[in-house]
């Protein structure tokens, strides 16, 4: 399938009083039309900064995209001026943020916020925008949408606010939807409802999705392909089933080892990953995971490995063949 979005050697930094924070360090990946790509990793690994860079929503200063390309249908988004980017953002590429309460304007009604998007991007009249907004709220299962559309964000529950944010993001029929941990603050029942809505809408609209999360359990039932990030680097990428069956990077093994399993034949304690992530201001010379890795060899501390293909569409950045216990 053709790639609708190509990220090439993306590099984003933040200049602080303590030094330069290397938040995203030369990451590259493609997103195909209609595909769901999961990006996982612990807090601070660069997941959110990477997608905010795609949307050109990094605050400058202190942040700065210092290198790379983001090609949307062959057009480099990093070279567009702000006016050109506004026509892409929210229209062709839309984003759902983690906290809907801070993403929605608390002093404007849901109607005002949804209608503005349609009027600006699609040139709709207010009546057309209002009718479309009600339709979208019904699509994301907001009960009595016609009555609720003039309510304010605080009058909705957390799960319903997140559904409203999804409706806002989908209002212009985007080709790419980026969801930045949209279910993290919700209980598991509401999480499941949101995931069902997203799966259904993707089937109906045919959009591509980038789903950011720290929860490998979520991407197991949603994504086609998974990227694992650590300390601003991509350390492994594979189709979702391949990643779960044949994890090849020690960090991925650690994430899976800390995940409860319903199919386990025997009860066992979850295994935490010992140690702490590296300081992004002072990254180590070698592999950033080496200090926490039980498989680490001397070479790991001397040189950071690049992503290499180990099986069809499965790439990992590691000097050790974890599956066979051999050095490369």
């Amino acid at each position: 399938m053709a790639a609708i979005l190509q990220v090439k050697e993306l590099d984003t930094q933040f200049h602080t009083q303590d030094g330069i924070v290397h938040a995203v360090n030369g990451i590259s990946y493609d997103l195909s039309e209609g595909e769901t790509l999961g990006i996982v990793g612990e807090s601070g690994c660069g997941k959110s900064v990477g997608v905010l860079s795609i949307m050109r929503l990094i605050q400058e200063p202190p942040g700065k995209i210092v290198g790379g390309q983001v090609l949307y249908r062959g057009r480099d988004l990093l070279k567009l001026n702000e006016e050109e980017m506004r026509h892409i953002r929210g229209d062709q590429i839309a984003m759902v943020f983690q906290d809907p309460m801070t993403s929605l304007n608390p002093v404007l009604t849901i109607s005002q916020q949804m209608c503005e998007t349609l009027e600006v991007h699609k040139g709709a009249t207010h009546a057309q925008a209002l009718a479309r907004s009600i339709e979208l709220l019904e699509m994301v299962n907001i009960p009595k949408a016609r009555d609720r559309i003039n309510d304010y964000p605080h009058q909705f529950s957390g799960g319903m606010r997140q559904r409203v944010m999804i409706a806002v993001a989908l209002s212009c029929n985007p080709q790419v939807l980026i969801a930045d941990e949209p279910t993290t603050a919700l209980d598991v029942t509401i999480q499941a409802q949101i995931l069902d809505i997203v799966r259904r809408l993707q089937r109906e609209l045919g959009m591509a999705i980038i789903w950011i999360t720290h929860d490998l359990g979520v991407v197991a039932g949603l994504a086609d392909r998974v990227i694992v990030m650590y300390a601003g680097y991509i350390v492994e990428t594979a189709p979702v089933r391949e990643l779960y069956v044949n994890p090849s990077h020690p960090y991925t093994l650690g994430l899976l080892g800390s995940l409860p399993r319903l199919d386990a034949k025997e009860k066992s304690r979850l295994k935490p990953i010992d140690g702490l992530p590296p300081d992004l201001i002072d990254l180590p010379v070698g592999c950033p995971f080496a200090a926490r890795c039980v498989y680490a060899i001397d070479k790991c501390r001397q040189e950071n490995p690049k992503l290499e293909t180990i099986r069809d569409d499965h790439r990992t950045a590691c000097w050790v063949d974890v599956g066979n216990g051999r050095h490369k």
Side-chain angles (χ1 to χ4, degrees), residues 43-57:
S43 297
C45 73
K47 307 184 303 294
S48 295
V49 173
V51 294
L52 288 171
S53 299
I54 291 173
M55 298 291 285
R56 296 264 304 275
L57 291 174

Side-chain angles (χ1 to χ4, degrees), residues 196-272:
D196 284 343
I197 288 169
V198 171
R199 277 191 289 261
R200 173 173 57 81
L201 293 175
Q202 185 183 32
R203 286 195 301 270
E204 293 174 3
L205 304 176
M207 62 190 172
I209 296 175
I210 298 176
W211 190 277
I212 314 296
T213 183
H214 62 270
D215 189 343
L216 276 165
V218 169
V219 296
L222 183 69
D224 301 307
R225 193 160 48 92
V226 186
I227 286 172
V228 181
M229 288 191 67
Y230 185 78
Y233 294 94
I234 294 175
V235 296
E236 186 164 9
T237 176
V240 64
R241 178 172 174 77
E242 169 71 11
L243 188 89
Y244 282 77
V245 174
N246 297 307
S248 297
H249 195 279
Y251 179 60
T252 310
L253 287 169
L255 289 178
L256 291 170
S258 63
L259 185 70
R261 296 184 65 102
L262 295 176
D263 60 348
K265 295 181 180 178
E266 296 181 5
K267 291 182 180 180
S268 61
R269 286 183 176 274
L270 299 180
K271 299 176 183 177

